[in-house]
Amino acid sequence: MPHLTLDKVTVHYDGQPAPAVERVSLDVGKGDFVVLVGRSGCGKTSLLNVAAGLVEPARGRATIGGRPITAPGPDRAVVFQNDALFPWLTARENVAFTLRLRGVPADRRARRADELLKLVKLDNAGDKRIWELSGGMRQRVGLARALAAEPEFLLLDEPLGALDALTRERMQTTLLDLWTAAQVGVLMVTHGIEEALVLATRIVVLAPGPGHVVRTFETHFGRRYAAGEPIRAIKADPAFAAARADLTDAIFEGEAA
Amino acid sequence: MSVGSYTERPTAEAGEKDGLSVPWSRPRPKRTGVSARPISALTLLALLAAWTVSAELQLVSPVFLPSPAAVWTKLVVVARDGFVDATLTQHVAASLWRVFAALIAAIGVGVPVGLAIGISKVGRGVFDPLLEFLRPIPPLAYLPLIVIWFGIGEPSKVLVIAIAMLAPVALSTAAGVRGVSRERIDAARSLGATRGQVVRHVVLPSALPSILTGLRIALGAGWSTLVAAELVAATRGLGFMIQSAAQFLVTDVVVMGILVIATIAFALEFVIRRIERALVPWAGRE
Ligand SMILES: Nc1ncnc2c1ncn2[C@@H]1O[C@H](COP(=O)(O)OP(=O)(O)OP(=O)(O)O)[C@@H](O)[C@H]1O
Ligand SMILES: [Mg+2]
C-alpha cells in the first residue's frame, strides 16, 4: 500500500526571515484520514501544498510510495480553501475536467461525471453553472472533481470552512462516505475541533513559530461511523467528549508554548 | 395618550421636527431610483433642440453648422446617389471592412502577445517596452512611415488601424492573465494539467472577460484612427468621405459622416456587450 510521507520537512518561503514550518513529519496510509489542526498561520496549508507538490520543501523529503514528490499530480487531488472551480464550465464539466485533459471521449466523461455527482448527492445539478450553486454544493462539486482523477490521496484544505454549521455537519458525513467508498487516504486541514474528531483516524496538532507538531492523536470515531454507527450516537459518547477535551488542551498548550 | 407621553418621541415625524438625525426616526423609504437612461435621452434631445434652434435662427452660417434637417436630407441623398463616386453603403462597407480586418489582425497578434506578457518574464521583458513605446504615438505620426514602407494600398490602411488597436488588446489580455487566481491554476495542475493545458483550459477562459473589454476599447481606438488611415489615397470610406466633403466645405456631409460613424460605433458597442453577456456570463459573479 502506498504511503504519502513527509519526512522532517521544512518550508521556507523566499524572502521570509524564518521558516514557516520546521521539521514536520507526517505519514498518510491509504485508508487513513489524517487531520491537521492548529491556529491560523501555523503552516497547515504549507504542509498540504508540499504534499500536493505545489511547494518545494527547503529541507526534508516528501514522497509518495517511496518516490519523491516533485510536481502536482492526479494521484494527489487537491480541494482548496476556496473551491477554485471553473465558472465557465457547468458542474458536470467541472467534474469531468481531469478526464477531458486525458482525452476521454465526451459521452464517457459525462457519464462518469454524473456518477460522481450522484456520489456527492448532486444528481440534478450537472447542468448548473457554478454561480448558481450554494457554497455547500460548490464544495461537493469540488470533491467530485477531485475524485474524478481517481486519486490515491485526497488533500483537503478546509473544505468545509465556508459553510454554515448545519451544512457543515451534513458534509462531514458525506466526506466520510466518500472516504469509505473511494478507498483513498485523506490529508485534511480544519479549524473545527469537533470536525477533526468526527472525521479523523489521526489528528496532528501543530503550533506556530515556526510550525511544528505538538501532539498526535489516534482516533477512531470516523471508523465507527464507517462501520455503521450513527453520527449522533458517536458524538453523544462520553469518550467523544473526553477526546474533545484532550484535543482542545493540546491545541491551547501549543499556543501557550 | 398618557400624561407622561411627552417623553416618547412621535416616531413618524421626529426626524423632520427636531432636525437631528436621530435613531428613533423611522427609516425613510428609499427615494425612487432615478435611472441614467432617461437622463441621457434628455441630454441628447436638448442638444438636438439647441442645434435646431441655432440653425433655425441662423445664429451661425450653415457653412459652419448646417441644420439637422439639411443633414438628414443629405443622408438620404448620399444614400441614394452617393458622394464622391460611391454610395453611403459603399463608404460604410469600406470603413467597416478596414476596421474589422484590423481588429482581426490585432486579436491575432495582441492576444498571444498579451499571453506572453502575462505568463512569462521573458515575454514581459520583450513586449512591454515595445507596447509602451507604441501606445502614446498618434496614428498621424506613424502614418507616413507606414506609407513609405508598405505603399498606399489597402494593407497600409488596415495596418495603421491595427497598430492603434494592438496595445489595448495586448494589455487587456495581459491584465486578465495576471489576474487569474493562483488556486485555480494549482487546482488544474493537481488534476493533471500540463503547462499548455493550463494556458488553454484555465488561463485563457479566466482572462476572457478582460480580453473582451480590450476588444471594446480597441474598436473605439480603431474608429478614432479610421479618418487618419483614410487620409492616404483612399477612394472610399467614411473618413475619406468626411475629408473630401471638408475640402469643398460641404459641411452637411461632414456632420452626416460624423453621425454615421457615431451610430455605427454605438451599435457595435451594443453588440459587443451582448456578446460579452453570452460568452462570459460569470463575469462579476464569482
Ligand atoms: N506564498 C507564501 N509566501 C510567503 N509566506 C507565506 C506564503 N504562504 C504562507 N506564508 C507564510 O507561512 C506561514 C504559514 O502559512 P500557511 O498558509 O501554511 O498557514 P495556515 O496554517 O494554513 O493558516 P490558515 O489557518 O490561516 O489557513 C504564515 O506565516 C504565512 O504568512
Ligand atoms: Mg490555510
Side-chain angles (χ1 to χ4, degrees):
Chain A
M1 275 235 259
H3 276 238
L4 178 65
T5 309
L6 305 192
D7 184 26
K8 302 193 198 74
V9 161
T10 296
V11 178
H12 197 153
Y13 290 103
D14 285 343
Q16 299 294 321
V21 172
E22 198 152 40
R23 293 170 70 82
V24 170
S25 297
L26 285 176
D27 180 76
V28 190
K30 211 161 172 192
D32 291 345
F33 200 128
V34 177
V35 173
L36 302 177
V37 295
R39 74 184 231 207
S40 187
C42 69
K44 305 181 294 292
T45 300
S46 302
L47 287 170
L48 202 81
N49 282 340
V50 168
L54 294 166
V55 166
E56 206 185 329
R59 282 185 298 283
R61 271 160 50 89
T63 55
I64 178 166
R67 288 163 287 120
I69 292 170
T70 52
D75 52 346
R76 288 153 284 136
V78 187
V79 176
F80 290 90
Q81 220 160 338
N82 313 308
D83 49 52
L85 296 173
F86 306 127
W88 52 90
L89 302 177
T90 62
R92 180 183 297 111
E93 290 165 339
N94 264 281
V95 175
F97 184 78
T98 180
L99 304 176
R100 182 162 159 218
L101 296 177
R102 292 176 200 175
V104 175
D107 55 332
R108 263 186 47 210
R109 61 178 196 244
R111 223 174 314 132
R112 180 72 187 131
D114 282 337
E115 284 168 24
L116 289 163
L117 283 171
K118 199 163 172 185
L119 196 64
V120 295
K121 305 190 186 84
L122 282 178
D123 310 40
N124 300 316
D127 293 317
K128 288 249 162 62
R129 292 306 188 124
I130 296 311
W131 68 82
E132 296 171 329
L133 303 177
S134 70
M137 292 164 98
R138 292 170 68 135
Q139 285 298 356
R140 279 183 277 168
V141 174
L143 280 169
R145 183 177 70 172
L147 289 172
E150 294 184 2
E152 290 170 344
F153 295 94
L154 268 181
L155 309 177
L156 312 175
D157 195 354
E158 294 184 43
L160 314 183
L163 305 181
D164 64 277
L166 287 176
T167 316
R168 196 166 172 152
E169 211 169 316
R170 211 163 301 142
M171 285 291 296
Q172 290 167 359
T173 52
T174 307
L175 265 181
L176 284 172
D177 292 337
L178 292 179
W179 169 60
T180 327
Q183 298 277 311
V184 289
V186 178
L187 179 61
M188 171 169 150
V189 171
T190 182
H191 275 125
I193 291 177
E194 186 169 298
E195 183 163 295
L197 286 166
V198 168
L199 297 173
T201 60
R202 188 180 316 125
I203 300 172
V204 178
V205 181
L206 297 163
H212 61 281
V213 178
V214 279
R215 261 185 84 177
T216 303
F217 292 86
E218 302 290 330
T219 53
H220 54 279
F221 301 107
R223 289 208 205 282
R224 274 166 63 179
Y225 173 83
E229 200 175 330
I231 200 79
R232 293 262 155 221
I234 297 174
K235 286 187 184 172
D237 188 334
F240 191 85
R244 184 189 176 124
D246 283 350
L247 179 57
T248 313
D249 281 349
I251 292 172
F252 282 101
E253 217 172 277
E255 281 202 16
Chain B
M1 233 187 218
S2 71
V3 183
S5 73
Y6 67 92
T7 53
E8 288 168 22
R9 306 288 174 152
T11 48
E13 295 157 356
E16 283 79 8
K17 274 203 170 160
D18 57 19
L20 297 166
S21 86
V22 281
W24 55 79
S25 69
R26 241 194 278 173
R28 278 167 230 175
K30 259 193 206 145
R31 234 196 277 177
T32 43
V34 186
S35 93
R37 207 166 280 197
I39 299 182
S40 308
L42 271 181
T43 310
L44 282 180
L45 277 180
L47 213 63
L48 195 64
W51 180 14
T52 313
V53 169
S54 55
E56 204 63 38
L57 300 178
Q58 304 239 324
L59 292 180
V60 282
S61 135
V63 176
F64 290 105
L65 188 68
S67 72
V71 171
W72 176 254
T73 315
K74 210 60 184 188
L75 178 75
V76 175
V77 170
V78 174
R80 194 183 54 220
D81 307 333
F83 183 77
V84 283
D85 302 326
T87 65
L88 184 61
T89 321
Q90 287 170 323
H91 285 304
V92 169
S95 292
L96 272 179
W97 185 88
R98 282 171 196 138
V99 169
F100 274 99
L103 184 66
I104 296 198
I107 293 171
V109 178
V111 171
V113 165
L115 272 179
I117 294 176
I119 289 171
S120 90
K121 286 213 174 81
V122 178
R124 186 155 87 223
V126 172
F127 292 118
D128 231 11
L130 287 180
L131 282 179
E132 289 306 327
F133 169 75
L134 211 56
R135 202 158 57 119
I137 305 178
L140 274 174
Y142 54 73
L143 178 66
L145 198 58
I146 285 178
V147 170
I148 292 169
W149 286 351
F150 301 99
I152 53 172
E154 202 62 18
S156 291
K157 300 186 185 68
V158 173
L159 189 60
V160 169
I161 305 174
I163 290 175
M165 289 176 159
L166 189 63
V169 173
L171 294 178
S172 304
T173 305
V177 169
R178 274 190 228 122
V180 181
S181 93
R182 180 82 249 160
E183 280 199 345
R184 229 179 241 170
I185 291 174
D186 286 346
R189 293 215 298 151
S190 98
L191 291 168
T194 61
R195 216 176 132 81
Q197 284 176 321
V198 168
V199 171
R200 185 164 119 59
H201 293 293
V202 180
V203 172
L204 265 181
S206 289
L208 194 56
S210 179
I211 294 175
L212 286 175
T213 306
L215 294 195
R216 235 174 43 215
I217 300 171
L219 266 181
W223 286 108
S224 349
T225 314
L226 183 71
V227 179
E230 291 177 349
L231 265 176
V232 180
T235 54
R236 271 178 199 174
L238 286 168
F240 164 72
M241 183 185 87
I242 292 173
Q243 285 162 42
S244 316
Q247 273 163 18
F248 303 113
L249 288 180
V250 193
T251 319
D252 40 9
V253 172
V254 174
V255 175
M256 183 268 278
I258 291 172
L259 291 181
V260 169
I261 290 181
T263 310
I264 294 175
F266 183 79
L268 283 179
E269 174 90 12
F270 180 77
V271 170
I272 291 199
R273 279 185 195 272
R274 270 295 156 89
I275 293 176
E276 274 182 344
R277 228 174 297 160
L279 227 50
V280 292
W282 69 86
R285 287 202 246 192
E286 288 173 53

